[in-house]
């Protein structure tokens, strides 16, 4: 919650009103312009430092005007991301997240924030999202692919992961197909007979429907990051 400071200061016939959440103005010999207990009579009648006080006031108002006019414009677009923001002024926040079906290779599952700063630029966004339905990528030693390629490099048809025929196997737990931070849950049944890497071998592969060939790698390209 922001607490706004409302201040009225009079110099002769001039009345100045200040109202801003980030600004506190300090003048020589006075504790704070926003202090309700300040000695108004001293401020009005003591002319010894009048010019200095007016100079500080003008500087503070100029700085405040500069702050209020900051506009960073639209946030910098990042390929494969959706960005949400409600303002482009100072301290505005833009929230980036990978588009549906895209995987964040740097910060899996996280939203990345960018802030509008007083120089008129958004802070840098370090995010890389790739569409893993057409290529595979890796993170922390695991290979991730969500596409529907269902044949091996030699053209053999893949066996369903929820089947034990013609080859029995231990990859029957959904957690083996889990992709951390991905928006679409990956399961044994949902993976059908698509190329995957539940054993974390470092490449996408599948069991085949050929009784003489237990498994083979699939011809899926690596994502260009």
């Amino acid at each position: 919650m922001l607490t706004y400071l409302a201040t009225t200061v009079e110099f002769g016939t001039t009345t100045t009103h200040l109202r801003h959440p980030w600004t506190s103005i300090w003048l020589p010999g006075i504790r704070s312009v926003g202090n309700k207990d300040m000695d108004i009579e001293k401020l009005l009648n003591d002319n010894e430092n009048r010019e200095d006080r007016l100079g500080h006031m003008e500087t503070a108002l100029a700085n405040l005007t500069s702050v209020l006019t900051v506009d960073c414009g639209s946030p910098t677009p990042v390929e494969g991301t959706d960005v949400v923001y409600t303002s482009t002024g100072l301290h505005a926040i833009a929230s980036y997240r990978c588009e549906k079906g895209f995987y964040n290779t740097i910060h899996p599952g996280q939203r990345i924030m960018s802030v509008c700063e007083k120089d008129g630029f958004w802070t840098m966004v370090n995010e890389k999202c790739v569409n893993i339905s057409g290529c595979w990528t890796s993170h922390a030693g695991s290979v991730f692919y969500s596409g529907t390629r269902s044949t091996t490099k030699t053209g053999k048809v893949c066996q369903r992961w929820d089947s034990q025929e013609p080859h029995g196997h231990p990859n029957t737990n959904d957690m083996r197909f889990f992709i951390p931070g991905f928006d679409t849950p990956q399961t044994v049944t949902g993976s059908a007979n698509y190329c995957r890497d539940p054993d974390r071998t470092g490449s996408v592969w599948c069991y085949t429907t050929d009784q003489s060939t237990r498994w083979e790698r699939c011809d899926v390209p690596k994502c260009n990051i």
Side-chain angles (χ1 to χ4, degrees):
M1 178 181 295
L2 295 176
T3 301
Y4 284 74
L5 172 66
T7 303
T8 300
V9 179
E10 296 186 2
F11 293 102
T13 59
T14 302
T15 301
T16 303
H17 300 276
L18 300 178
R19 187 176 182 84
H20 198 273
W22 308 308
T23 305
S24 178
I25 301 175
W26 292 81
L27 304 179
I30 303 299
R31 283 180 295 167
S32 171
V33 174
N35 190 334
K36 294 181 181 179
D37 298 327
M38 65 181 289
D39 188 346
I40 299 298
E41 289 299 321
K42 181 178 180 180
L43 178 65
L44 293 176
N45 299 322
D46 181 4
N47 293 319
E48 182 178 352
N49 295 308
R50 178 183 177 85
E51 293 302 321
D52 286 341
R53 292 199 303 272
L54 287 174
H56 279 271
M57 179 70 77
E58 290 173 353
T59 299
L61 289 174
N63 290 339
L64 177 58
T65 299
S66 176
V67 166
L68 292 175
T69 57
V70 170
D71 188 340
C72 289
S74 299
T76 304
V78 176
E79 185 178 0
T81 68
D82 292 319
V83 57
V84 178
Y85 62 98
T86 58
S87 171
T88 59
L90 182 65
H91 297 158
I93 296 176
S95 173
Y96 290 80
R97 188 169 187 175
C98 291
E99 295 176 7
K100 187 175 180 60
F102 283 66
Y103 179 75
N104 189 336
T105 61
I106 300 176
H107 306 286
Q110 297 183 24
R111 288 183 179 273
I112 306 301
M113 304 298 180
S114 179
V115 179
C116 174
E117 299 196 318
K118 63 182 180 180
D119 60 2
F121 292 94
W122 294 93
T123 54
M124 184 178 296
V125 174
N126 183 23
E127 186 167 39
K128 182 66 176 179
C129 299
V130 294
N131 186 348
I132 58 173
S133 67
C135 58
W136 64 266
T137 190
S138 61
H139 182 79
S142 297
V143 169
F144 304 125
Y145 169 66
S146 64
T148 57
R149 179 68 60 87
S150 59
T151 55
T152 69
K153 285 185 175 182
T154 63
K156 293 181 173 62
V157 176
C158 293
Q159 173 184 314
R160 286 188 61 91
W161 295 101
D162 57 5
S163 173
Q164 296 293 319
E165 296 294 338
H167 305 288
H169 63 87
N171 294 309
T172 57
N173 190 318
D174 286 343
M175 285 303 298
R176 287 178 175 264
F177 297 83
F178 176 70
I179 300 179
F182 194 55
D183 56 18
T184 304
Q186 302 295 297
T187 64
V188 176
T189 300
S191 294
N193 68 329
Y194 308 141
C195 298
R196 294 290 187 266
D197 184 28
D199 284 342
R200 305 297 188 250
T201 63
S203 63
V204 289
W205 59 278
C206 68
Y207 298 110
T208 79
T209 54
D210 184 342
Q211 290 186 346
S212 63
T213 305
R214 180 170 173 78
W215 69 277
E216 281 188 353
R217 288 185 174 86
C218 300
D219 190 16
V220 177
K222 184 177 181 179
C223 297
N224 183 21
I225 300 177

